[in-house]
Amino acid sequence: AAPLAPEPAICPCRDLPPRGDPYLAAVVRAAVGTVRLALELIGPRYAEPKEVTYPELLADFIANQGLYVGPALAAPWDSDLETFHVVVRANGVVIKSAEGKHPDVHPLRPLVWLANSLAARGHHLRSGHTGPTGSHAALIGLPNDPPRPFQTRNPGRPPVRERPRHSTAPPP
């Protein structure tokens, strides 16, 4: 099974076009439509990933195999988005547990950077584009069997059940 990296994903509800003055955090926050819990699926496509150069890893999206974007969080700014506790259960038994912290202290910080970085290059952050903001926990490696639900105590609980790659079972 691919390791997972839980993180908030932010989706603006209005464009932030290029402008002369840098965007302040309050302006970027006001442009946010939804915050969702996302699970980044990690796994290199190289047969010998330890022998690959950094530019090759970068071309491989640093081993990003995909991103599951869960449902929108209710009242995200009332939640503690800086930290959360990640729990993985199988048949009611905790098989993994981790405390997570955002690498940039708060997920709004990388979004402010992105809005200003795009604006400085004549581009803009577009409404409806959902973007991850940084993993809250080190990679969470999971055993291959059995399928298991993934949850966090805060900020949300995505309805996800991961199955091993070789599984042909339909989703639950």
Side-chain angles (χ1 to χ4, degrees), residues 5-6 8 16 31 33 41 64 68 76 96 102 105 116 123 130 133 145 158:
L16 294 174
L41 308 174
N64 177 300
Y68 170 82
K96 289 283 183 177
H102 196 277
V105 181
N116 286 317
H123 302 287
T130 300
T133 63
D145 292 310

Side-chain angles (χ1 to χ4, degrees), residues 29 51 113 148 150 153:
R29 179 179 164 167
E51 297 177 15
W113 172 85
R148 60 214 151 261
F150 181 91
R153 184 176 342 125

